[in-house]
Amino acid sequence: MPTYKAPVEDVHFLLNDVFHFDNYNNLPGFSDASADVREAIIEEAAKFSEKVLQPLNRSGDLEGCKRHDDGRVTTPAGFKDAFKQLGEGGWLSLALPAEYGGQGLPVTLSQVVGEFLISANMAFSMYSGLTQGAMAALLAHGSDAQKKTYIPKMMTGEWAGTMNLTEPHCGTDLGLLRTKAVKQADGSYKITGTKIFISGGEQDLTENIIHLVIARIEGAPAGTRGISLFVVPKVLINADGSLGARNGVSCGSIEHKMGIHGNSTCVMNYDNATGWLVGEENKGLNAMFVMMNEARLGVAVQGLAQSEVAYQNAVTYAKERLQGRALTGAKEKDKAADPIIVHPDVRRTLMTIKAFNEAARAFVIWTALKSDVAHRSGDEKERQAADDHMGLMTPILKGVLTDQGFANTVAAQQMYGGHGYIAEQGMEQFVRDARIAMIYEGANGIQALDLVGRKLPRDGGRAITAFFTEVGGFVKQHGGDEAMKPYVGPLAASLQHLQQATMWLMQNALAKPDNAGAASTDYMHLFGLVVFGYMWARMAKVAQDKLAAGSASEQHKTKLVTGKFFMERMLPQTALHLTRVQAGADTTMELAAEAF
């Protein structure tokens, strides 16, 4: 049976030593998250994830969700009680404003907790993740009345939230949506249409579900310019806040899917359901993008989280499974064979996953801190720079972490040989669950196009210029440090590859857009590797300083070895991606469709 232990020590290392969390105490909420408070929150989140959620992961996958004839959906045994504990424990309200009953703590802590929850039980965590995303959209664009009505109940876990975008004929191209909204005399709207792939669209965890639905108001412009956002509760809410009549929204069916069986993925039917406009008419995408960006960061963490739990179990198996002898001679002479962790190719696999996990975690925390700055700083320039970072990095986080996270679950499964293909070991569930993260909240090919087509040229390239300046400055500052050369040298080379790829796109994509399309995925992964390289260089600098001061722990020494492995064995892939980018689109686009 699979196990999970939250990477608490690594999180503390990143928050305290690498990113100097306490330096942000000038921002609201940070001074309330002192070192002892952080430690308590992280330790308790680890316990909840390990003791409550992880034991429900496999049983929830086996049982799945069930739709009944009356449209009700029941979730796996134990999920309802666990969700109650989640709400009562304050895990949904960590980073939400105190004026609505939240704790007002940094979103960075919420992201850390999110990784633990997802590693322990990804299907379960989606109910809370969508609820948090819905709250973010309402806080950003909802009216005061909407915030006061919905947020307090959602943050306690009494009510949940969803996001309703996709329709049977309409996925990425939301301009094609057909769901309509008809305005009523009292200012409400009647919503009619069908939405598909709605995570948590119906469930028995909460007494109400607050659906956020995009639809087109009668007479609105065609395409994305005519999209509005509505809040549509499953159960209508009386003036005194009590629950009233059932709204005209129902679950038509639940999808039978590859993974995340414990999450109810629903076809939702809206039949003259009563809804209320969120924000302005025809400005729904602006509001929904708040939720989508929140969700994309959450999905990026899903890639990391599944990679982490798969890695942990693969390591355990590699230490226990006896098979063959070490190439350099028997290591366990009193046993019939050596554990497979003695074999270099097994080490290569495990080191590759480990190096990714630790760099990806640093990337997530780095970006989460930028989110806190963007939303909490009183300095306009700081907010702008942090927002630039978020815009540039979101598609990289989502695309790279989920692509590589899935690949890592497959690699971890491979450690088990044939046993990894057997459901009892739990490894095949990690593979199945991780696969969806590459698809939803914008398939990864779309993330790559968004990066190349929108994020790079935005504001005259201000965000990418700032990134080049920051990483280039680090290289220059530490390039003369002999101990840092194994880290700074490869980082400098990979940064140059990214700069060359960026320049090539600037020179070749405008005149021939297919060049951008053909290069986008390689460019995204090249960029991701450079970010990982920067994260590893920063972690190595901390470890080297501890070593020089004579205070290095085993954790610091391990960081230096793992970081060096990344620089030697993984970062050189930037050269391959650069070559592919510069190959252009000619061969890719040459064949007629009939030739495929």
Side-chain angles (χ1 to χ4, degrees):
M1 290 288 290
T3 60
Y4 172 66
K5 184 171 178 58
V8 170
E9 185 182 34
D10 198 40
V11 167
H12 286 318
F13 169 73
L14 292 170
L15 292 178
N16 298 331
D17 298 334
V18 178
F19 296 111
H20 307 292
F21 191 91
D22 290 332
N23 288 352
Y24 294 82
N25 278 349
N26 61 311
L27 300 180
F30 273 77
S31 60
D32 295 325
S34 58
D36 57 336
V37 171
R38 293 197 303 274
E39 183 174 348
I41 289 171
I42 292 166
E43 293 286 349
E44 286 303 311
K47 289 178 185 177
F48 179 70
S49 300
E50 295 164 5
K51 305 297 184 184
V52 177
L53 298 188
Q54 193 277 333
L56 298 174
N57 192 42
R58 184 162 186 263
S59 61
D61 181 65
L62 292 172
E63 182 181 348
C65 297
K66 181 179 180 181
R67 180 188 179 277
H68 301 273
D69 291 341
D70 59 2
R72 291 181 303 112
V73 170
T74 50
T75 55
F79 273 41
K80 187 172 184 176
D81 182 62
F83 199 83
K84 182 181 180 183
Q85 291 184 56
L86 185 83
E88 291 176 346
W91 300 114
L92 289 165
S93 64
L94 272 180
L96 293 173
E99 63 184 295
Y100 300 109
Q103 299 172 58
L105 294 172
V107 73
T108 303
L109 290 180
S110 185
Q111 289 288 1
V112 166
V113 171
E115 184 198 333
F116 296 177
L117 301 183
I118 296 165
S119 281
N121 195 323
M122 179 168 157
F124 175 90
S125 72
M126 291 172 64
Y127 295 108
S128 58
L130 270 295
T131 300
Q132 290 175 312
M135 287 191 287
L138 288 170
L139 285 169
H141 293 280
S143 66
D144 288 342
Q146 288 171 343
K147 295 173 189 176
K148 291 175 182 176
T149 298
Y150 302 115
I151 300 298
K153 293 282 190 179
M154 295 171 77
M155 70 168 56
T156 59
E158 295 170 80
W159 298 352
T162 71
M163 176 169 61
N164 289 241
L165 284 77
T166 307
E167 300 181 6
H169 61 284
C170 165
T172 301
D173 190 353
L174 294 173
L176 299 175
L177 73 85
R178 295 173 184 163
T179 299
K180 67 177 182 179
V182 180
K183 193 167 187 178
Q184 306 299 296
D186 63 358
S188 67
Y189 291 78
K190 291 296 184 183
I191 312 295
T192 301
T194 297
K195 299 289 184 178
I196 64 170
F197 305 156
I198 308 307
S199 299
E202 179 58 50
Q203 36 81 357
D204 61 349
L205 306 178
T206 61
E207 60 185 12
N208 205 358
I209 304 173
I210 310 306
H211 301 290
L212 291 188
V213 184
I214 58 169
R216 194 182 307 281
I217 298 172
E218 279 189 320
T224 56
R225 294 183 300 112
I227 293 176
S228 298
L229 178 65
F230 300 88
V231 57
V232 186
K234 168 185 169 179
V235 182
L236 296 171
I237 301 159
N238 297 321
D240 64 358
S242 63
L243 294 181
R246 178 68 188 259
N247 205 354
V249 52
S250 62
C251 171
S253 65
I254 56 175
E255 305 290 355
H256 299 278
K257 53 194 187 293
M258 178 178 175
I260 53 171
H261 293 156
N263 191 270
S264 56
T265 305
C266 301
V267 174
M268 300 301 297
N269 296 321
Y270 292 84
D271 185 11
N272 279 323
T274 302
W276 289 267
L277 185 68
V278 177
E280 300 178 45
E281 288 189 7
N282 305 328
K283 297 290 181 65
L285 278 190
N286 293 339
M288 187 55 86
F289 269 123
V290 172
M291 189 170 183
M292 290 173 69
N293 285 333
E294 185 98 0
R296 283 170 179 169
L297 288 174
V299 172
V301 176
Q302 288 180 347
L304 161 62
Q306 292 304 101
S307 178
E308 174 65 32
V309 68
Y311 164 78
Q312 289 186 17
N313 284 275
V315 168
T316 299
Y317 188 80
K319 290 178 179 178
E320 295 174 350
R321 174 66 169 173
L322 301 180
Q323 202 84 169
R325 288 296 189 188
L327 297 176
T328 53
K331 303 300 181 186
E332 303 279 354
K333 294 182 180 179
D334 58 331
K335 296 178 181 178
D338 289 328
I340 63 173
I341 200 166
V342 303
H343 302 306
D345 195 58
V346 169
R347 292 291 191 101
R348 175 194 60 81
T349 300
L350 295 176
M351 285 291 285
T352 298
I353 306 174
K354 177 179 174 64
F356 165 86
N357 291 347
E358 294 177 21
R361 184 172 298 115
F363 189 5
V364 168
I365 290 176
W366 183 43
T367 303
L369 285 166
K370 297 290 187 181
S371 177
D372 277 316
V373 172
H375 291 98
R376 299 173 187 239
S377 176
D379 187 306
E380 185 178 351
K381 288 186 177 179
E382 280 188 354
R383 289 199 308 272
Q384 181 188 79
D387 188 65
D388 286 350
H389 174 99
M390 292 288 294
L392 180 66
M393 295 300 173
T394 295
I396 303 168
L397 275 161
K398 198 280 183 183
V400 174
L401 267 61
T402 61
D403 272 355
Q404 193 58 47
F406 171 72
N408 288 346
T409 62
V410 174
Q413 182 190 35
Q414 185 76 10
M415 293 295 92
Y416 283 68
H419 294 286
Y421 201 67
I422 305 302
E424 181 183 356
Q425 298 292 341
M427 300 305 289
E428 56 85 38
Q429 183 189 344
F430 299 142
V431 173
R432 289 186 288 105
D433 286 354
R435 185 64 183 89
I436 185 58
M438 301 163 70
I439 298 172
Y440 58 18
E441 302 308 335
N444 287 354
I446 299 297
Q447 301 301 324
L449 286 172
D450 179 48
L451 172 64
V452 170
R454 294 177 182 167
K455 301 304 172 60
L456 285 185
R458 182 180 170 185
D459 299 314
R462 189 171 66 206
I464 185 69
T465 300
F467 177 77
F468 287 156
T469 299
E470 178 173 347
V471 181
F474 183 94
V475 167
K476 184 176 181 180
Q477 181 181 358
H478 302 292
D481 183 343
E482 192 66 31
M484 285 295 293
K485 283 186 178 179
Y487 309 95
V488 174
L491 176 60
S494 71
L495 178 63
Q496 186 176 32
H497 293 157
L498 180 60
Q499 290 169 326
Q500 289 176 283
T502 305
M503 183 61 67
W504 189 92
L505 285 170
M506 290 173 60
Q507 295 170 344
N508 293 277
L510 285 178
K512 191 172 182 180
D514 279 344
N515 280 330
S520 59
T521 292
D522 277 291
Y523 183 86
M524 178 180 72
H525 280 279
L526 195 168
F527 207 140
L529 283 166
V530 175
V531 175
F532 290 165
Y534 180 44
M535 294 296 97
W536 268 118
R538 290 184 64 169
M539 290 187 281
K541 175 58 180 167
V542 173
Q544 287 287 11
D545 287 348
K546 295 284 187 181
L547 197 64
S551 58
S553 65
E554 284 304 311
Q555 181 192 27
H556 299 123
K557 296 173 184 176
T558 300
K559 285 287 181 187
L560 290 172
V561 174
T562 309
K564 193 172 180 182
F565 176 90
F566 178 86
M567 296 297 177
E568 292 175 354
R569 302 293 298 254
M570 298 170 68
L571 193 55
Q573 293 175 46
T574 58
L576 170 63
H577 290 301
L578 174 61
T579 299
R580 289 173 172 170
V581 167
Q582 293 176 333
D586 289 350
T587 306
T588 301
M589 303 304 296
E590 185 174 348
L591 292 180
E594 293 74 19
F596 285 87

